Amino acid sequence: MNSYNPIIYLSVFFVLVVLLVLVFNTRNGVYFTYLKTKNATKKTAVEDILKLLYHNDRFTEADIIEQLEYSHGLIESCLLKMLSKQLIAKESHFVQLTDEGEEYALRIIRAHRLWEKYLSEKTGFHKKEWHDRAEQKEHELSDEELDQLAKLLGNPKFDPHGDPIPTKSGKIVQKKGTDLSRLPVHSIGKIIHIEDEPAAIYKEILAQKIHLHSQIKVIESNEQIVVFEAEGVVFKLTPVVAKNITVQELDPENILDVNNSRLSNLKINETATIIGISKESRGENRRRLLDLGFVKGAEVRINLVNPLNDPTAFLIKGTSIALRKDQSEKILITKNIGNENNT
Amino acid sequence: MKELEEFDKIIALSNELRWQIGDDFHDDLTEAIYADAAKIVKKTVVQNSQKGTLGIDAKIDNIVTSKIWGFPLMLFLLGFVLWLTIIGANYPSAMLSSLLLDIVHPFLKESTAAIGFPWWLSGFLVDGVYLAVAWVIAVMLPPMAIFFPLFTLLEDFGYLPRVAFNMDSLFKKSGAHGKQALTMSMGFGCNAAGVVATRIIDSPRERLIAIITNNFSLCNGRWPTQILLATIFIGAVVPESYSSIASLAAVVGIAVLGIFFMFFFSWALSKTVLKGEVSTFNLELPPYRTPVFWKTIYTSLIDRTLIVLWRAIVFAAPAGAVIWLICNITLGDESIAAYLVHSMDGFGFILGLNGVILLAYIVAIPANEIVIPTILMLTVMVTGISAGSGSGVMFELDSVSATADILKAGGWTLLTAINVMLFSLLHNPCSTTIYTIYQETKSLKWTVVASILPVIAGFIVTFLVAQIWRIIF
Amino acid sequence: MKTTPKSACETCAHHSLENVKKLGVDITNVDFVIALAGNPNTGKSTVFNALTGLRQHTGNWPGKTVTRAEGAFEYQQKKFKLIDLPGTYSLMSRSEDEEVARNFILFGKPNVTIIVVDASRLERNLNLTLQILEITSNAVLCLNLMDEAQKNNIQIDTRSLSKELGIPVVATSARSKEGIPELIATISDVALGKIICKPHKIKNIPPQLEQAIKKLSTAIQNQYPTVSNSRWLAFRVLEGDTHIIEALKTGDFS
């Protein structure tokens, strides 16, 4: 122990820590970058090109190179291979999908959306991770696994963002809607799709807690700002963000009570009737809420407020059940008026 | 084979139907059931008024969850239960240990000698197996017999769900469930019981978090170690009139540090390896019910105390045997124990510990209660000072100063004491707890994670403390 | 592989006991197996203790009993084995305790299932009750915590409740053992076939769903003629319950 010097030991330790962080950092660590490049095979590149072409009609080779993160050379060799396999055809300098190519693209889209549905229903991964995980997984699932997955999920029609999932035979439900920035002021619509790309805009939508399938009423809409009310909350978005939300204008007979609100907006001593649970509550969480009696028509009021403000205990069907705010804001209610003397 | 074909037809039909009826089947079905239920209730139940016991419940609830009283009340009750456990257990513990260790142990030694057992057999059985078991019973039984009934009374009354309610937002920040406040508190009594108690958490991710981090609650088996070391070493560095306060603060500080680590690792786990596990939340606040006092005491003894104690005994017996064996089997001119102690001394020094302490923690995996006796026995063996009753025979001394003398003779400094206190908080769970974790998770992976994680934390923390200490002093 | 069923004996003791034996219940010297189901925090374990004289711990805390507890009692020279199932809100989610409870009632086919409900919170407890009645016909509703309900000024017409549900209803306050002798007598009557239950079936299902369920349950019934709860199986298959689908495949419902 003669040569012992604590400073040296300490330094060695910190060097080790820094090295470990560099290697295993999830964002740009050596290990994960290695995994990414290892997975970036020709097959994934081909499949990504197919998807890109499925969504974009008149694309040139230059467009493809610009949109995808693969190297120039890889994309070129992929395109050659795809041409020879008759997945794509060239029309002047535009690249287009053949029928075969479209079928293949739909299969990948099916895999992507089914996997997102799986993540949303059966796992605890956060919303913001679904897309990236599905981007990986879509290239790995075999036909058989896809069938298994679809069965497990009950052949869902829509993915958690509201996008239709193509069936095995390539059927796809068509949805029509406009983007939110184009909905006229005072009109009432329903959010049918929230786009998860680009990530920065999706993050903003998530942060505002805008929910799929909520009924909205446009208050103000111009070049600078889109203001709308949904579920008793007022949201303000820039038109760029609003473009990523698809809405469907509602016919008068489909309009819910305009006074609908989120359970999280309920005040103490107010009573309310539950309209339903938002589509944003999924999987096991949704089932739990239903089992506990948070069903259409049930009466609810606040039983206890928390010293730290969250969670809140609600009295539902004779029992006091505490829910966190991120749960209660996914339950829709209409407040009962004139019932407030019930302390 | 025909059946399989028919089966496939049914599945095909069901797939077709599921596509037709859409994604809301579960919702519709549940709504239908509740609609039926509402109809039935309307026909059969008459509710005269909202008042009655609900009024009293509401009053209690308003106090126990109030901004002013909620948290002080919780801290007071937890502190009171722990205080009563530690103080109240002293007397029966002393009685049990004088009975089992001072009376029965010599008696067994003499009787086995009288029947003509060879020294190694009586050593193995009486000094090894019996002594470890007796020690565990004497130290473990009294605190658990006090702690669990008290805890159970609070539970039966209906107070604990309110604690979970109050604490939830703190735990939510670290990705955990409010009910973990209770399993953590239960861990202050016994980690194995704490792990079993995580059954009340019905969300898979949060339950795993609660299981893996339960060991950061300083359990009954470790409180005495903390108190002893704090009294000897921490109390000595301050003026005598403050010594008891300083040592108390040190022990509480270690427990609080444990809570900090619990939050930290809960957060880290929920953000990394456990983020894909399903996570749900619901917390029912049941009506208050007066507990049936004696029945609660009885059942908590049967259900919790005795089960945990039994498991501890099952694990302690072989450990006692191992301790005796490594001290009495020699390799060359050294016993295995001495050999191991010397080979681990270097690593121990880097951590601010020593080989004796590391070996004691390895062989005392079955129960934290026997760590101090093992350390004393090994120190005496390695240093060759005269105390105790022979190699492989664990002992403890009534006098704190005599214990201090032995430890100091073993080369202990204030740094050693602090690091042992830290390591006592941050090391692998005892084997009873490890076994319980496996029983509850049925997963080797999570059992290994729960066992290794605290040791790594312990190594890192003691290492850092040792180096910084040596740079400063 | 499934063979043609030997007999359609659904209620006879021997048939039923073979099923629970498969689930690991010791059936030596047992005439009837009784399952005890109910929501968490309804005093289910207290009922269990009152029936068996055992002292299982009963916390005022939802979800205490996660594993299965067993006990026994004797009534008029017949030996009853009682299995305490985990307390659950429903049988349709996929948590571990719900699967334990569900599997026992579905595959174990106990002679009688006692459903313990909290009299003050009947509506909410009926969610589980109505689900159980889709699975099994032989059930008894134990309307527990009647003392609390009385304190809360809640009155329940047990006779019309029994008529609505199609099963016997016994009011109890298990903590003071009130109503327990009646409960035992009723269990015995159902087990011996002296009381025939005609359980309530879920009614308010939207017509479009009801049609789909009917189609599927008819198909299941045709393929597995001895199955008595094809409608419940149809619910589960439509929800994609892999466990049930697997059981159908291997013919575990014979």
Side-chain angles (χ1 to χ4, degrees), chain C residues 6-114:
Chain C
K6 289 166 211 102
S7 75
C9 177
E10 273 293 320
T11 42
C12 78
H14 176 73
H15 178 95
S16 189
L17 292 186
E18 281 304 310
N19 292 310
V20 282
K21 200 175 167 188
K22 270 189 240 159
L23 290 169
V25 179
D26 178 17
I27 53 160
T28 5
N29 276 328
V30 172
D31 293 310
F32 298 109
V33 170
I34 315 294
L36 192 65
N39 276 34
N41 213 42
T42 51
K44 201 161 60 67
S45 298
T46 321
V47 173
F48 179 85
N49 290 348
L51 285 173
T52 59
L54 284 180
R55 304 275 169 119
Q56 219 210 351
H57 176 242
T58 59
N60 187 3
W61 179 264
K64 212 61 240 292
T65 327
V66 170
T67 43
R68 235 166 38 194
E70 297 178 11
F73 64 91
E74 223 181 297
Y75 180 72
Q76 296 185 338
Q77 285 93 49
K78 294 284 180 194
K79 293 194 178 71
F80 294 80
K81 182 131 198 170
L82 191 64
I83 314 289
D84 189 12
L85 301 176
T88 60
Y89 296 107
S90 161
L91 296 177
M92 299 199 296
S93 298
R94 280 157 200 172
S95 63
E96 194 189 341
D97 43 350
E98 287 189 20
E99 287 219 338
V100 172
R102 196 270 315 270
N103 289 349
F104 192 83
I105 303 175
L106 189 60
F107 300 113
K109 293 182 190 152
N111 300 84
V112 184
T113 303
I114 309 168

Side-chain angles (χ1 to χ4, degrees), chain A residues 122 151-154 284 287-288 290-293 316-321, chain C residues 89-90 92-95 97-98 120-121 123-124 127 131 236 239-240 242:
Chain A
K122 308 279 177 186
K151 264 185 214 166
L152 178 75
L153 297 168
E284 206 52 43
R287 284 158 189 272
R288 266 297 122 116
L290 288 167
D291 289 341
L292 291 169
I316 178 113
K317 294 192 189 288
T319 310
S320 182
I321 304 275
Chain C
Y89 296 107
S90 161
M92 299 199 296
S93 298
R94 280 157 200 172
S95 63
D97 43 350
E98 287 189 20
S120 313
R121 295 169 181 79
E123 185 177 343
R124 179 173 144 64
N127 177 28
Q131 290 181 35
R236 298 313 303 154
E239 275 210 42
T242 41

Side-chain angles (χ1 to χ4, degrees), chain B residues 253-267:
Chain B
I254 291 284
V256 171
L257 190 69
I259 296 178
F260 166 78
F261 273 103
M262 181 277 297
F263 275 119
F264 173 76
F265 278 107
S266 297
W267 173 81

Side-chain angles (χ1 to χ4, degrees), chain A residues 32-88:
Chain A
F32 288 92
T33 324
Y34 164 74
L35 278 187
K36 247 186 219 163
T37 45
K38 207 186 109 194
N39 286 334
T41 57
K42 220 168 186 177
K43 178 171 175 282
T44 44
V46 166
E47 291 177 350
D48 284 343
I49 295 171
L50 284 170
K51 266 201 312 176
L52 190 69
L53 291 175
Y54 179 81
H55 291 299
N56 299 283
D57 244 351
R58 296 177 67 81
F59 252 40
T60 62
E61 201 177 317
D63 290 333
I64 296 172
I65 290 167
E66 193 196 313
Q67 291 277 325
L68 294 177
E69 276 181 3
Y70 298 106
S71 74
H72 203 123
L74 181 63
I75 289 182
E76 264 173 11
S77 74
C78 282
L79 286 175
L80 279 177
K81 190 177 157 196
M82 289 161 84
L83 267 175
S84 72
K85 285 198 164 179
Q86 294 186 337
L87 292 170
I88 51 172

Side-chain angles (χ1 to χ4, degrees), chain B residues 171 179-188 214 217 259 262:
Chain B
F171 281 86
K179 289 179 188 171
Q180 194 175 321
L182 310 177
T183 62
M184 180 194 85
S185 307
M186 187 71 109
F188 286 128
N214 195 274
S217 291
I259 296 178
M262 181 277 297

Side-chain angles (χ1 to χ4, degrees), chain A residues 343, chain B residues 47-56, chain C residues 151-153:
Chain A
T343 41
Chain B
Q47 177 143 22
N48 288 329
S49 82
Q50 288 277 345
K51 290 272 151 55
T53 48
L54 280 176
I56 300 167
Chain C
K151 273 188 217 155
N152 292 331
N153 279 320

Side-chain angles (χ1 to χ4, degrees), chain A residues 300-342:
Chain A
V300 64
R301 65 186 164 94
I302 290 178
N303 183 48
L304 264 187
V305 256
N306 194 289
L308 301 174
N309 291 325
D310 192 41
T312 304
F314 296 98
L315 198 64
I316 178 113
K317 294 192 189 288
T319 310
S320 182
I321 304 275
L323 295 182
R324 288 174 173 175
K325 190 149 182 278
D326 54 9
Q327 292 174 298
S328 61
E329 63 197 5
K330 287 170 192 157
I331 297 172
L332 302 177
I333 52 165
T334 47
K335 292 185 183 177
N336 301 351
I337 297 157
N339 218 347
E340 275 125 61
N341 49 357
N342 206 352

